[in-house]
Amino acid sequence: MHTHVLPFALAFAVLHAAPARAETTRVWIEKGELQYAGYLDDGANAQLFALYDSLRPKPTVLAITSKGGDVVTGLALGQWIHAHRLDLKVMEYCLSSCANYVFTAGADKIVSNVAVIGFHGGISSPRFDLTGERKARYDAMSKAQQEAFWTGFRNDMRPLLEREAGFFRLIGVRQDITTYGQADRFKHTVADGWTFGADGFKQFGVDRIRVIDGPWRPTPPTAAWKIALLEVDALPATD
């Protein structure tokens, strides 16, 4: 087994593979607000950017409903939102890469009183889950090969990790917002992911949140989603 080749192939698959999806991501304008519905998608991003460029006057709000998607696609959308100083509206949910890189990038964040902003890890996560064929290949390795895999994984992901760190510096948000719920003390609390209240978000640098008809009680649209609402302890200083 060529373990010097396998780490990059698996690492790329873990972080970049598009989730299984049936629906097509849609982008449109409605009542003066940009709308983005579906998984984060490069083609949808391009449609959004072109739509914005074509409009006069310029919209100031992007409303999004998304379960997330590719990390690089999410970073690109977040950087664009930040550059154009758009407000971000979530009426239902914004999960995974949408929470990490899109919600955090909004100027003002407008949420319904049940909206879920769900995190479950980022590029700086201490661990990643392998599934299906990838997990089978990993499980077939020796302990030494598994250690080599994770070493190679971290090395291969370093440029992307640096890009993520630069993104969070740009928008003034702590990078560990994407990994907070992965601490050992939450392993019996967090199932599919976690979220915060407005005060918790503020500790990570995510402020200017406005709740429509508050108070804000995040409620997943299906009981199958197990999203924990975490209290935020005093955070360590960052560099």
Side-chain angles (χ1 to χ4, degrees), residues 104-212:
T104 56
D108 287 346
K109 295 84 173 171
I110 306 157
V111 296
S112 75
N113 56 14
V114 296
V116 178
I117 313 301
F119 300 86
H120 67 87
I123 303 166
S124 60
S125 289
R127 61 184 180 273
F128 295 88
D129 294 329
L130 302 175
T131 59
E133 181 183 349
R134 298 169 197 143
K135 187 176 187 304
R137 292 169 66 190
Y138 177 80
D139 290 343
M141 298 178 189
S142 67
K143 184 176 180 180
Q145 288 171 331
Q146 290 178 347
E147 291 175 354
F149 164 75
W150 288 116
T151 298
F153 182 101
R154 297 296 178 188
N155 288 337
D156 292 335
M157 290 302 103
R158 187 169 291 118
L160 194 54
L161 178 62
E162 292 174 355
R163 178 174 175 183
E164 185 189 70
F167 168 78
F168 282 114
R169 286 194 298 270
L170 174 70
I171 67 172
V173 172
R174 293 177 60 111
Q175 188 175 15
D176 55 355
I177 193 173
T178 69
T179 59
Y180 186 79
Q182 293 179 315
D184 286 343
R185 66 185 180 280
F186 297 127
K187 64 183 178 182
H188 299 302
T189 303
V190 171
D192 299 320
W194 68 89
T195 191
F196 310 103
D199 290 341
F201 272 108
K202 191 172 184 178
Q203 291 196 57
F204 289 97
V206 181
D207 54 9
R208 297 171 64 177
I209 296 177
R210 177 164 62 86
V211 183
I212 300 172

Side-chain angles (χ1 to χ4, degrees), residues 95-110:
L95 311 178
S96 188
S97 289
C98 181
N100 289 1
Y101 314 120
V102 179
F103 183 76
T104 56
D108 287 346
K109 295 84 173 171
I110 306 157

Side-chain angles (χ1 to χ4, degrees), residues 19 23 38-40 65-69 93-98 118 120 225:
E23 74 272 19
Y39 285 101
L40 304 182
T65 303
S66 178
K67 296 177 183 177
Y93 53 82
C94 175
L95 311 178
S96 188
S97 289
C98 181
H120 67 87
W225 294 7

Side-chain angles (χ1 to χ4, degrees), residues 7-140:
F8 178 78
L10 274 179
F12 189 87
V14 169
L15 289 176
H16 295 267
R21 63 190 70 175
E23 74 272 19
T24 299
T25 302
R26 297 183 299 121
V27 171
W28 72 100
I29 184 81
E30 182 177 310
K31 297 180 180 178
E33 297 180 351
L34 295 164
Q35 306 286 328
Y36 194 117
Y39 285 101
L40 304 182
D41 177 85
D42 288 336
N45 281 5
Q47 292 176 36
L48 177 71
F49 303 162
L51 176 60
Y52 178 87
D53 288 343
S54 72
L55 294 171
R56 298 288 187 279
K58 296 297 185 189
T60 61
V61 176
L62 170 63
I64 191 166
T65 303
S66 178
K67 296 177 183 177
D70 182 274
V71 167
V72 174
T73 303
L75 284 166
L77 181 55
Q79 288 168 335
W80 181 83
I81 290 168
H82 177 76
H84 291 81
R85 300 179 181 179
L86 292 179
D87 296 338
L88 203 288
K89 178 188 281 188
V90 180
M91 299 302 290
E92 295 183 59
Y93 53 82
C94 175
L95 311 178
S96 188
S97 289
C98 181
N100 289 1
Y101 314 120
V102 179
F103 183 76
T104 56
D108 287 346
K109 295 84 173 171
I110 306 157
V111 296
S112 75
N113 56 14
V114 296
V116 178
I117 313 301
F119 300 86
H120 67 87
I123 303 166
S124 60
S125 289
R127 61 184 180 273
F128 295 88
D129 294 329
L130 302 175
T131 59
E133 181 183 349
R134 298 169 197 143
K135 187 176 187 304
R137 292 169 66 190
Y138 177 80
D139 290 343

